[in-house]
Amino acid sequence: MAERRARISIDGWLGYIPAIALGMFCLWIVCGSPAHVLAGGLMIDTDYPNAAAAFEIFVRDQWHWPLGESPNFGGVNIFFSDGAPWLALFAKAINGLTGFYIPFHTLVIVNILLFAVMAYRLARCLVAEETIRWLVCALLVFSLIMPVRMIGAQHIALGSYWVVLWAMCCVPVGTASRLWWRRWEFLATTGLAILSHAYLGAMAIAIVGIVLLSERRWVAAALAALWPLLLLYVVGVFHGEHSTTEGAKAYSLDLLAFAESLGWAITPNLYAIDEPTQSDAILYLGTGAWLLLLASLAMGAATLVKQRTWPAWYPRDWFGAAIKGQDPRKRRLLVLLVAALLLVIYAMAFDLRVAGHRLLSLDFPSLTLALYDRFRVTGRFAAPMAFLLIVLAGLAWSSRRACMPKWVWASVACLAIVLQLLDARHAGTKSPPGDWLADAEEQRKAVASVLEGRDWSGRVYKDVGYFELEQQRLIDRLLVDFGARHFEVVHGARLAPQDVERRSGYRDARAGDVVLLNQGAPGPACERQAAIKTFVLCLVE
């Protein structure tokens, strides 16, 4: 018996090897080679270089308390720099022990490979048959939700959607696990999720909490919320004041967003996007997933008309078996759908949007204002439902297998995977845009003309306004490449305008320091200087 269990365990782990290979293939068609990614080949003037600069300054600095504090990067905590605190802390420990530096670009590769691993694990938790598992896994891996978040908006830390998939399968359902670590695995899941990104942490905590409550694990459900709060305290999120943001209704979920490609897929947009905020979160299921869903629905409708009976996508007692826990896979899927539906309701932000039109809008209840001020980009919270709809596309098509020749069923399934893959490849050709890459190269040349070959202090001062800091994200990263190790003020999420005003200026600048000014503004005497965008980079004389 022990030998049989060991063999099953080995076979299970071996299944992840092709999943990793699938992830590596996705990386190549979307982002290019790993060497290209690690060299920063995807980086343009977005949030990516800001996070990369914050990450390197933090990792190369000494340890501080709280652990996430980064006084040399404008005092902005690594959590609010979107620097993936879990990776930053790990890289800092490795750098301190061995001197080996793990670049922030590594996170792009980690995100894609772990997403593939968790996609296969989720498929194992929800699907009994291996063939359908791989169909679901492929549909998930080549979906656009994760890669477009990284290559489009270039929110690398927010692209760690693998923690959301992990949250969906980390809690044992239906039967008590014999392995103690499986019962408490959710602590690692929620911990890594909150130390990846605040939005991902909130999604993972909600999913894990609801699954634990469905299993009547009341203490564990409380721990799922309290443990991440403790980690946030240790990192320093609650130390000091941070500004909140408003305008959540502008980001409210459109119910047809799951079918809107936003120009990233091989299919055209379903409806016009009039508000730029509505294009923040791509939730498109994928052309292949929609093919399977529509084909399954069409065949189900034909069965209904022909036989006047509802087609059984699952056995007729599906809901009963799920609720009673007779089938752990069905029960897990049902609970996950409930959790995802609650997140969708939050994502709607008390609005009813359909195809770009706001049909109904209600005021926020006072009890929800604090949440919506901290998580205003609400459409992102519909991602778990998008992932589950992709899973349902595979399950729906699996239920149609008995209704047609095997070769027809397999051909349509393969076509769906190819279409999903073509979506991913099309997205990879769109970003980063050539003109943005050219602009990044021009900025690099300008910084090099001032600092290349120079022995300077590594200190950077700025005399600019609050809203201009966002325009200097790539400049900050390039300065780090040329040896910058201290920034008096930088762009950062939840940065208060009064903090920017207090830190701005060059009164403490000395010879060998760098000062960044608006063009035409008075400044110190410069040994070298160069114009970059609307700014002047000055090496103080």
Side-chain angles (χ1 to χ4, degrees):
M1 180 65 69
E3 182 181 348
R4 181 174 176 272
R5 280 202 302 267
R7 185 169 63 253
I8 293 173
S9 177
I10 292 172
D11 292 342
W13 284 107
L14 287 177
Y16 291 96
I17 296 177
I20 293 172
L22 204 62
M24 185 61 71
F25 182 58
C26 180
L27 173 70
W28 274 85
I29 65 173
V30 175
C31 303
S33 69
H36 175 70
V37 173
L38 291 174
L42 299 177
M43 195 164 57
I44 52 178
D45 199 349
T46 59
D47 284 338
Y48 184 0
N50 180 76
F55 183 91
E56 183 161 348
I57 294 294
F58 175 82
V59 169
R60 296 190 185 278
D61 193 9
Q62 63 184 0
W63 290 96
H64 299 277
W65 177 261
L67 296 182
E69 289 298 293
S70 187
N72 287 323
F73 197 68
V76 178
N77 191 289
I78 190 65
F79 185 88
F80 293 111
S81 295
D82 286 351
W86 75 268
L87 180 62
L89 291 168
F90 175 75
K92 190 167 189 168
I94 295 297
N95 186 68
L97 292 172
T98 67
F100 178 74
Y101 173 67
I102 300 173
F104 182 71
H105 312 301
T106 307
L107 188 58
V108 176
I109 299 174
V110 169
N111 283 345
I112 293 178
L113 295 186
L114 286 184
F115 187 86
V117 168
M118 293 302 171
Y120 179 66
R121 184 178 178 187
L122 180 62
R124 287 174 62 90
C125 289
L126 297 178
V127 183
E129 188 180 343
E130 191 69 11
T131 302
I132 311 304
R133 288 175 180 173
W134 284 109
L135 173 60
V136 167
C137 180
L139 292 175
L140 283 169
V141 169
F142 295 117
S143 64
L144 298 178
I145 300 168
M146 177 268 296
V148 168
R149 174 55 60 185
M150 293 197 295
I151 67 171
Q154 295 215 320
H155 296 152
I156 307 303
L158 187 52
S160 303
Y161 278 111
W162 55 272
V163 297
V164 176
L165 298 188
W166 190 9
M168 292 180 177
C169 51
C170 69
V171 178
V173 169
T175 57
S177 175
R178 297 188 185 93
L179 303 173
W180 68 268
W181 65 267
R182 281 286 287 120
R183 289 187 58 80
W184 300 103
E185 182 186 356
F186 70 89
L187 293 175
T189 306
T190 54
L192 277 176
I194 201 64
L195 294 183
S196 293
H197 195 279
Y199 280 83
L200 300 177
M203 291 182 227
I205 292 167
I207 293 168
V208 168
I210 290 170
V211 177
L212 287 171
L213 289 175
S214 74
E215 295 297 299
R216 296 186 175 87
R217 295 178 60 186
W218 317 118
V219 174
L223 284 175
L226 295 175
W227 166 242
L229 291 177
L230 176 61
L231 292 179
L232 291 180
Y233 173 80
V234 171
V235 170
V237 173
F238 304 130
H239 293 251
E241 295 183 1
H242 304 284
S243 63
T244 56
T245 53
E246 299 178 352
K249 282 191 173 292
Y251 295 91
S252 59
L253 173 68
D254 192 304
L255 294 182
L256 287 184
F258 301 109
E260 177 62 271
S261 68
L262 297 177
W264 289 99
I266 58 176
T267 53
N269 288 344
L270 183 66
Y271 55 90
I273 301 290
D274 297 325
E275 299 178 57
T277 51
Q278 284 292 297
S279 61
D280 173 85
I282 181 167
L283 300 168
Y284 185 58
L285 306 186
T287 307
W290 273 112
L291 170 67
L292 297 186
L293 277 176
L294 294 176
S296 300
L297 287 172
M299 294 183 67
T303 302
L304 178 61
V305 171
K306 213 172 186 181
Q307 303 177 5
R308 296 187 179 181
T309 58
W310 287 99
W313 281 14
Y314 279 103
R316 294 184 184 278
D317 61 344
W318 191 91
F319 283 104
I323 294 171
K324 294 175 183 178
Q326 296 171 355
D327 187 331
R329 291 189 174 92
K330 296 173 185 176
R331 180 175 175 81
R332 182 185 297 274
L333 181 57
L334 181 61
V335 173
L336 291 179
L337 285 171
V338 170
L341 181 60
L342 292 175
L343 289 172
V344 164
I345 292 172
Y346 177 84
M348 292 174 67
F350 293 91
D351 276 2
L352 178 60
R353 285 181 185 263
V354 179
H357 302 286
R358 183 180 290 176
L359 305 180
L360 179 66
S361 183
L362 303 175
D363 292 335
F364 289 126
S366 56
L367 292 176
T368 66
L369 287 176
L371 274 178
Y372 281 108
D373 283 347
R374 285 162 176 78
F375 298 99
R376 67 164 181 160
V377 191
T378 56
R380 296 173 181 174
F381 284 92
M385 180 60 81
F387 294 139
L388 289 177
L389 289 175
I390 293 172
V391 172
L392 289 175
L395 290 174
W397 188 243
S398 72
S399 70
R400 301 289 89 200
R401 189 160 38 178
C403 304
M404 66 190 79
K406 289 184 178 179
W407 69 269
V408 174
W409 182 92
S411 297
V412 175
C414 289
L415 176 61
I417 294 173
V418 170
L419 291 175
Q420 208 83 339
L421 189 154
L422 290 176
D423 279 347
R425 178 57 191 149
H426 179 72
T429 63
K430 289 176 64 66
S431 185
D435 55 340
W436 285 60
L437 287 172
D439 174 69
E441 183 59 28
E442 287 299 316
Q443 292 189 48
R444 175 174 287 278
K445 289 179 180 177
V447 174
S449 70
V450 175
L451 297 177
E452 192 167 34
R454 307 297 295 181
D455 186 15
W456 67 294
S457 67
R459 293 188 296 270
V460 179
Y461 297 86
K462 300 179 181 181
D463 192 17
V464 296
Y466 176 81
F467 294 103
E468 292 159 334
L469 290 174
E470 189 174 7
Q471 304 303 315
Q472 300 171 359
R473 296 168 298 183
L474 180 58
I475 298 174
D476 290 346
R477 173 63 227 183
L478 295 173
L479 288 170
V480 171
D481 288 342
F482 283 95
R485 289 297 175 263
H486 175 84
F487 291 82
E488 193 62 24
V489 62
V490 294
H491 169 71
R494 308 296 171 87
L495 193 63
Q498 57 267 27
D499 290 335
V500 174
E501 184 177 355
R502 177 174 55 85
R503 288 176 168 272
S504 292
Y506 53 88
R507 54 194 171 276
D508 297 327
R510 302 290 182 266
D513 294 346
V514 159
V515 175
L516 199 58
L517 310 155
N518 286 312
Q519 289 188 22
C526 302
E527 179 182 342
R528 286 187 179 184
Q529 66 179 35
I532 309 177
K533 301 172 76 172
T534 61
F535 310 107
V536 172
L537 184 70
C538 167
L539 178 61
V540 179
E541 192 175 54

